[in-house]
Amino acid sequence: SNEYKSYLSSSMSDSLFEFFHHEMICYFESGTPIHLLPSRVPCNAPLYTRNEYKSYLSSMSDSLFEFFHHEMICYFEEAGSRDQVYAEMERVGQRVGFCLVEKSTMAESRFREDVEVVKYVCKDMWLLLFKKQADNLKTNHNGVYVIQDNRFRFLSRIGQVPEYKDRCAMYLAFTCGVIKGALTNLGMPCTVSCEVGVIPTCKFQIVVQRPS
């Protein structure tokens, strides 16, 4: 158990880019209809100044996953609207979350309550994905949970300007999907929505779908 947890906190986090890359291949291979464009078109409203981007490139060895995530958004944005980008990124995240939680919980004891499952996501999985735990978890004890991250990794480089904030949802869609996929795999089918406060603070609201 301890050896497996060590693997998750070191080797698996170091190969997250590799895992994401593999899941992207599986995602495209599954036949999801996506426009494959021959040319590379720059993203609208660049997120980085020249100096910020140089600094970003210099730290790519530590944030290749973040870089890949950003480029996936750019790729989908070439083919459709922001709503379509959100939907595609959410679907990718759902696949990644479903598979990732299957691997990461192999050494875990069975979760007894829904709140334990959500705590696992906002602590262990958050640490695996973002190198930190989520900052807060709230629940109404009736199937609604809110995860708050005060410095969300995918928003940390977005500036405080209106056109950037309008793009934030695209940078949260993948994580919404990860949460949804992970919880679904652990027996908690749900819907996940996101909300951005003062960048880079954001919240993810989980609504568990109860049997009718």
Side-chain angles (χ1 to χ4, degrees):
S1 176
N2 289 335
E3 289 178 354
Y4 192 75
K5 287 183 177 180
S6 174
Y7 162 71
L8 291 178
S9 63
S10 57
S11 339
M12 195 167 175
S13 61
D14 291 339
S15 61
L16 193 58
F17 168 70
E18 183 180 348
F19 179 81
F20 189 25
H21 176 264
H22 169 74
E23 290 304 320
M24 280 305 307
I25 292 172
C26 295
Y27 176 77
F28 284 115
E29 198 174 22
S30 68
T32 303
I34 297 171
H35 299 289
L36 302 178
L37 301 180
S39 60
R40 178 70 174 90
V41 181
C43 286
N44 298 324
L47 296 178
Y48 311 105
T49 65
R50 183 182 297 273
N51 289 335
E52 286 174 338
Y53 198 69
K54 283 183 178 179
S55 174
Y56 180 51
L57 290 177
S58 69
S59 62
M60 265 182 61
S61 59
D62 295 328
S63 58
L64 197 55
F65 170 57
E66 184 180 349
F67 179 79
F68 192 25
H69 175 268
H70 169 73
E71 288 302 312
M72 283 303 306
I73 291 173
C74 292
Y75 174 78
F76 286 129
E77 198 171 15
E78 292 169 6
S81 66
R82 290 181 182 178
D83 288 342
Q84 290 173 312
V85 175
Y86 185 96
E88 294 289 4
M89 290 300 294
E90 185 180 37
R91 280 194 283 268
V92 173
Q94 190 169 349
R95 180 186 177 91
V96 170
F98 192 94
C99 297
L100 186 60
V101 80
E102 193 166 285
K103 295 176 181 294
S104 65
T105 57
M106 288 177 62
E108 297 289 334
S109 56
R110 186 178 179 85
F111 299 108
R112 290 173 295 180
E113 298 179 2
D114 286 356
V115 68
E116 293 180 356
V117 177
V118 181
K119 282 182 178 179
Y120 176 82
V121 169
C122 70
K123 290 183 177 181
D124 295 65
M125 279 197 67
W126 226 258
L127 187 62
L128 181 61
L129 288 167
F130 308 120
K131 307 294 179 68
K132 65 182 287 291
Q133 294 183 346
D135 295 289
N136 195 15
L137 172 64
K138 294 182 179 180
T139 178
N140 67 351
H141 301 286
N142 194 30
V144 178
Y145 301 86
V146 177
I147 299 173
Q148 179 170 324
D149 192 316
N150 294 332
R151 188 167 180 78
F152 187 60
R153 180 174 179 179
F154 293 151
L155 297 182
S156 62
R157 301 177 189 275
I158 296 181
Q160 294 285 349
V161 290
E163 60 265 32
Y164 289 178
K165 189 167 184 177
D166 290 343
R167 293 168 56 81
C168 284
M170 294 189 295
Y171 284 81
L172 301 178
F174 173 79
T175 305
C176 286
V178 168
I179 296 170
K180 184 176 181 179
L183 293 181
T184 299
N185 193 335
L186 295 174
M188 285 180 62
C190 60
T191 59
V192 182
S193 58
C194 56
E195 175 187 339
V196 178
V198 178
I199 298 172
T201 299
C202 63
K203 296 179 180 178
F204 298 90
Q205 179 172 287
I206 302 161
V207 180
V208 180
Q209 296 174 338
R210 304 292 187 187
S212 55

